[in-house]
């Protein structure tokens, strides 16, 4: 039950409602209470019991919660309905419109101290920030959601933790992102909190950071777990729409509790729609594995599927990241012109603070394509840009490889000393393949 207002506030509310209805204290009190009790209550000198509030609410013609908290009747249910509308807006890819809806709902939820609604609105604003690439702002919203949910069980906090980790990942802070995701997964699995949706969300989210850190075995295992958990989430779009429609009907009939239950199901299903975006990571991972094994045709098919899924969700930043992987496969299949066009398109959507690693990968690949075309000046320019981005992100494995490419280019053009400097820089960044420096992998889920 929601926290009540102080006795003085409740007393003033009772007095105001009684006056509006033209009732005397005796008429309000009888038959269960005395006029003196009502007078004392209106003066704020007594904390009314639940039974007393129910009696007074019935006499005044208002709901118990409205009398105890001042919230208008049906406010919580109406707010939940509007939150599911915002979730639907975000799920169909209209992030900016959804952000406006969530911001208005957040203000209203805070005004009326509706903690659950406040957390949902903050999570929604964070997701909007991820989709639009406003990573610092998104991270702040997720942090605030964690604070609001501080007393909730870990599965309820998982979306906020995942959102914070993804915002760090997209900003190039790989190790911290993996730490957040792995520690949450470990706590869920070791603590017996086997929530399929929370686990799916976290396993799907950790794939990208693993891949970028060179931890391919862990990425493949996370993808395996995510795909095994996915059927338990299903395809929620049509079911969510049904629950929203049913809730509207129930609200019109005054069946608020049933409407609340229906809206809760709709809200959960719309949250799962975000998982569809995450599941594109699994196709991305499969494409990567096929590419590593030399099966470029299957790799291209998987990466195109991932890009199609993300484009349908209008997840622009994620779409750009997968496009870089796809361009690499296209180049290896001899489609260098198509690959270069795709990479230039991607670079217009990325920046050092918004997709730094994939921006670096795009410049690296454009450098390779330029070298193949014997345009050494353009190739060097792309390599240097990529080097700067990777140094900021601390992507050691990629840095070592890029320094080798740059060193080879400089040596071929006769700049031996500069080539040696590049090689030395690369050696300083070498790490063992597949390591994350984060210790053992998290405990496994009970699949």
């Amino acid at each position: 039950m929601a926290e009540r207002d102080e006795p003085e506030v409740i007393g003033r509310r009772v007095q105001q409602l009684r006056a509006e209805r033209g009732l005397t204290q005796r008429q309000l009190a009888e038959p269960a209470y005395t006029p003196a009790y009502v007078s004392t209550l209106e003066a704020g000198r007594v904390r009314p019991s639940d039974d007393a509030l129910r009696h007074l609410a019935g006499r005044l013609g208002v709901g118990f919660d409205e009398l105890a908290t001042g919230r208008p009747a049906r406010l919580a249910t109406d707010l939940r309905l509007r939150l599911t509308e915002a979730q639907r807006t975000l799920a169909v890819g209209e992030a900016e419109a959804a952000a406006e809806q969530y911001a208005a709902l957040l203000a209203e939820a805070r005004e009326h101290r509706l903690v659950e609604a406040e957390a949902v609105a903050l999570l929604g604003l964070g997701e909007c920030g991820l989709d639009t690439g406003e990573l610092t702002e998104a991270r702040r919203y997720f942090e605030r959601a964690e604070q609001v949910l501080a007393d909730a069980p870990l599965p309820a906090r998982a979306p906020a933790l995942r959102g914070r980790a993804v915002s760090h990942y997209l900003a190039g802070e790989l190790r911290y992102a993996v730490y957040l995701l792995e520690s949450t997964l470990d706590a869920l699995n070791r603590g017996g909190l086997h929530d399929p949706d929370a686990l799916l969300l976290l396993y799907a989210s950790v794939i990208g950071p693993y891949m970028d850190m060179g931890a391919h075995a862990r990425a493949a295992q996370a993808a395996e777990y995510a795909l095994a958990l996915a059927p338990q989430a299903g395809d929620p779009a049509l079911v969510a729409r049904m629950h929203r429609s049913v809730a509207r009907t129930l609200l019109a009939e005054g069946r608020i509790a049933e409407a609340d239950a229906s809206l809760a199901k709709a809200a959960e299903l719309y949250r799962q729609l975000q998982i569809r975006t995450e599941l594109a990571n699994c196709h991305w991972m499969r494409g990567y594995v096929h590419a590593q094994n030399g099966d470029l045709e299957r790799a291209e098919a998987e990466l195109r599927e991932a890009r199609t899924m993300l484009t349908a969700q209008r997840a622009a930043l994620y779409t750009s990241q997968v496009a870089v992987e796809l361009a690499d496969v296209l180049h290896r299949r001899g489609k260098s012109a198509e690959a270069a066009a795709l990479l230039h398109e991607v670079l217009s959507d990325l920046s050092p603070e918004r997709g730094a690693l994939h921006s670096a990968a795009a410049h690296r690949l454009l450098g390779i394509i330029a070298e193949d075309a014997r345009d050494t000046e353009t190739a060097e320019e792309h390599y240097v840009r990529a080097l700067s981005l990777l140094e900021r992100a601390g992507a050691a494995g990629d840095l070592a490889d890029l320094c080798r490419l740059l060193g080879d280019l400089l040596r071929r053009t006769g700049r031996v000393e500069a080539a040696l400097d590049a090689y030395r820089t690369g050696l300083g960044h070498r790490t063992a393949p597949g390591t994350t420096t984060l210790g053992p992998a998290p405990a496994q889920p009970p699949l």
Side-chain angles (χ1 to χ4, degrees):
M1 185 174 292
E3 183 180 348
R4 290 190 198 178
D5 285 332
E6 291 301 313
E8 297 83 0
V9 177
I10 294 176
R12 287 195 298 271
R13 187 175 299 128
V14 169
Q15 185 178 42
Q16 180 181 348
L17 290 170
R18 180 177 62 79
E20 289 174 358
R21 286 152 178 74
L23 298 174
T24 65
Q25 291 179 338
R26 181 178 299 279
Q27 289 172 324
L28 181 59
E30 292 178 343
Y33 299 92
T34 66
Y37 176 76
V38 172
S39 176
T40 304
L41 186 151
E42 290 183 349
R45 295 195 297 270
V46 64
R47 181 177 295 275
S49 65
D50 286 354
D51 287 341
L53 280 180
R54 289 192 183 93
H55 167 80
L56 296 172
R59 299 288 286 171
L60 292 167
V62 298
F64 174 90
D65 191 58
E66 182 175 358
L67 191 60
T69 67
R71 296 167 192 153
R74 302 186 5 167
L75 173 68
T77 304
D78 288 341
L79 196 60
R80 181 175 295 190
L81 175 62
R82 289 155 56 205
L83 282 167
T84 62
E85 295 286 356
Q87 287 173 300
R88 184 203 63 80
T89 303
L90 178 59
V92 299
E94 299 174 9
E96 292 182 359
E100 293 180 4
Q101 292 175 280
Y102 279 124
L105 290 165
L106 175 61
E108 194 168 341
R110 293 186 67 183
E111 177 187 352
H112 294 288
R113 295 172 296 161
L114 292 167
V115 174
E116 182 182 343
E118 181 181 353
V120 173
L122 287 167
L123 288 171
L125 284 166
E127 293 293 344
C128 291
L130 292 183
D131 278 7
T132 59
E134 302 294 332
L135 302 180
T136 301
E137 189 174 347
R139 185 168 65 250
R140 288 175 183 153
Y141 283 126
F142 289 125
E143 288 170 350
R144 287 171 60 187
E146 280 188 79
Q147 293 168 3
V148 169
L149 295 169
D151 296 328
L154 183 55
R157 288 184 278 122
L161 285 160
R162 169 261 173 197
R164 185 154 62 91
V166 171
S167 65
H168 282 290
Y169 162 55
L170 295 177
E173 300 162 13
L174 305 187
R175 296 186 186 281
Y176 187 60
V178 170
Y179 162 75
L180 285 174
L181 293 165
E182 283 194 340
S183 59
T184 307
L185 281 165
D186 196 60
L188 284 170
N189 289 327
R190 291 189 186 280
L193 301 170
H194 306 306
D195 183 292
D197 288 334
L199 290 171
L200 172 55
L201 194 64
L202 295 166
Y203 277 119
S205 299
V206 81
I207 294 170
Y210 276 153
M211 289 172 64
D212 289 340
M213 293 178 71
H216 302 143
R218 288 200 186 183
Q221 187 178 60
E224 179 184 342
Y225 291 152
L227 290 170
L229 289 160
Q232 299 178 48
D235 185 356
L238 293 175
V239 182
R241 188 179 307 139
M242 177 273 293
H243 281 300
R244 282 176 50 240
S245 299
V246 168
R248 288 183 178 279
T249 302
L250 293 169
L251 276 172
E253 296 175 359
R255 297 157 65 184
I256 296 175
E258 294 170 74
D260 256 347
S262 191
L263 287 169
K265 293 175 184 175
E268 174 60 20
L269 291 166
Y270 280 123
R271 191 186 69 75
Q272 289 177 14
L273 279 171
Q274 294 301 112
I275 295 174
R276 291 177 62 189
T277 297
E278 296 290 349
L279 286 176
N281 282 341
C282 299
H283 289 284
W284 180 1
M285 180 64 202
R286 282 175 166 172
Y288 180 86
V289 170
H290 288 317
Q292 293 298 303
N293 292 335
D295 190 347
L296 299 182
E297 183 177 355
R298 291 178 69 186
E300 181 179 343
E302 288 286 355
L303 292 169
R304 287 193 185 278
E305 175 65 19
R307 189 166 181 243
T308 298
M309 290 174 67
L310 292 167
T311 301
Q313 294 295 106
R314 300 186 191 178
L317 187 55
Y318 299 133
T319 303
S320 296
Q321 293 173 338
V322 173
V324 175
E325 301 284 350
L326 176 58
D328 180 58
V329 171
L330 291 172
H331 168 64
R332 291 167 63 185
R333 297 197 71 191
K335 306 175 184 179
S336 295
E338 184 182 353
L342 184 57
L343 291 168
H344 283 296
E345 178 186 336
V346 163
L347 283 172
S348 67
D349 293 328
L350 298 174
S351 70
E353 294 77 26
R354 185 175 181 270
L357 289 166
H358 291 83
S359 183
H363 280 297
R364 173 189 176 278
L365 185 51
L366 283 169
I368 292 172
I369 292 171
E371 271 205 88
D372 290 347
R374 292 183 168 80
D375 185 353
T376 55
E377 184 177 343
T378 298
E380 182 179 346
E381 181 182 341
H382 282 299
Y383 288 154
V384 170
R385 288 185 181 180
L387 186 64
S388 174
L389 290 163
L390 290 174
E391 283 180 332
R392 288 186 57 184
D398 290 341
L399 267 168
D401 175 66
L402 185 63
C403 288
R404 177 189 59 80
L405 288 171
L406 179 58
D408 289 349
L409 173 64
L410 293 169
R411 180 172 53 81
R412 283 195 297 271
T413 56
R415 289 170 285 174
V416 177
E417 285 300 320
L420 287 172
D421 285 341
Y423 290 140
R424 291 188 192 104
T425 302
L427 287 171
H429 287 294
R430 286 194 66 184
T431 57
T435 61
T436 67
T437 74
L438 292 172
Q444 297 183 8
L447 296 175

